[in-house]
Amino acid sequence: MKLLKLTLAAAVLAVGAVRVLAGPFEDGIAAMDRADMSAARGYLEEAAKGGHAEAQYQLALLLMRGQGGKRDLEGARIWLEKAAQGGHANAQYQLGELLLWQADDETSAAAAAKAFERAARLNHARAAYELAVLYASGKGVATDNAKAFEFYRKAAEGGVLEAEHIVGSMLVAGRDVDRDVVAGGAWLKLAQNGGDPEAGDEWLALLPTLTRQQRDALQSILDNHSDRNYVIGADHTHGPVSSVN
């Protein structure tokens, strides 16, 4: 009996220790899981004030959406900036989106471009795409087609469907880049496989013009991507890539 009491006491202490180790961030995530957003805000704010970058990011999302309390875009921006300063790629990206959405002027667009670039340098594919769009349009940055292609390609390599199509089209046409029908065709085929019908039309128009050697080279590129998943927006992935032939 004495041994049983000691065991139970140890178990209680262990549970208490786990709770102490968990901390406000984990409590905040648990509150989100049970859809108690008001409690989640409180816990996440406590963790955020302690410098927890993921808590800062999650709190900013709640503030942006108005979950668990009043919507607070300025507060969201502040927490996103803090998380971004800690190298949080998703926070960098969301900060860029928020800056573009809040005010349509060159100052905010330039700040958004900087946020997107920091995220892109951390391999955030969607941020790379948004930055490419800014370089292509000259919004917030000087128009630079070479930079636009650089970041479109980075986004395509990260699986952004729209970027796959754009990179493929630019390479096939030799628009602002050296023409490369093999690499361009591969990106068009991947975009087609991801569900982009316009990329599919361009691919089908290109296919009859390719030599046997070009088809073999293109197939080799596709083979290297055959087991790779691609992000489409935020929800979808590519399936296996079919044969060139």
Side-chain angles (χ1 to χ4, degrees):
M1 180 62 72
K2 185 175 182 180
L3 178 59
L4 177 60
K5 289 181 178 179
L6 288 173
T7 302
L8 290 172
V12 170
L13 288 173
V15 170
V18 168
R19 181 168 181 78
V20 170
L21 289 173
F25 171 70
E26 289 77 9
D27 288 340
I29 297 301
M32 290 173 67
D33 288 342
R34 62 177 184 268
D36 187 350
M37 297 306 181
S38 178
R41 267 204 196 194
Y43 287 126
L44 290 174
E45 184 171 0
E46 182 182 350
K49 288 178 178 178
H52 195 296
E54 182 64 21
Q56 292 166 346
Y57 171 66
Q58 294 294 338
L59 175 60
L61 294 183
L62 293 182
L63 294 172
M64 287 172 65
R65 297 165 181 160
Q67 293 177 305
K70 184 179 178 181
R71 194 178 190 204
D72 183 357
L73 295 180
E74 180 60 22
R77 182 187 62 78
I78 291 170
W79 286 117
L80 286 174
E81 286 177 345
K82 288 182 181 296
Q85 289 167 7
H88 195 293
N90 282 328
Q92 309 263 20
Y93 166 68
Q94 288 294 342
L95 178 60
E97 288 287 324
L98 183 60
L99 288 166
L100 279 182
W101 183 82
Q102 277 190 298
D104 187 17
D105 59 61
E106 282 302 302
T107 300
S108 62
K114 289 179 180 178
F116 286 142
E117 182 157 9
R118 287 193 295 267
R121 299 298 182 192
L122 293 171
N123 298 317
H124 195 294
R126 180 56 60 175
Y129 176 79
E130 297 296 344
L131 181 59
V133 171
L134 294 183
Y135 272 116
S137 64
K139 185 175 181 179
V141 291
T143 302
D144 188 327
N145 292 327
K147 281 280 190 183
F149 179 76
E150 173 191 344
F151 286 104
Y152 276 133
R153 186 159 200 158
K154 193 174 183 68
E157 289 168 351
V160 178
L161 180 64
E162 304 98 303
E164 292 175 4
H165 183 181
I166 291 170
V167 170
S169 294
M170 291 178 74
L171 286 168
V172 168
R175 189 173 70 251
D176 300 318
V177 294
D178 292 334
R179 190 167 188 256
D180 187 339
V181 295
V182 171
W187 283 117
L188 288 176
K189 180 60 176 171
L190 289 167
Q192 180 203 42
N193 192 68
D196 186 327
E198 292 183 4
D201 291 342
E202 291 180 42
W203 162 253
L204 292 175
L206 173 68
L207 184 57
T209 72
L210 299 175
T211 66
R212 180 74 263 175
Q213 184 178 15
Q214 287 172 328
R215 290 189 185 206
D216 289 344
L218 202 155
Q219 184 66 58
S220 179
I221 294 173
L222 294 178
D223 288 344
N224 289 331
H225 292 80
S226 61
D227 60 348
R228 178 175 163 191
N229 286 330
Y230 278 74
V231 176
I232 302 174
D235 309 307
H236 304 87
T237 56
H238 286 272
V241 176
S242 58
S243 172
V244 169
N245 302 305

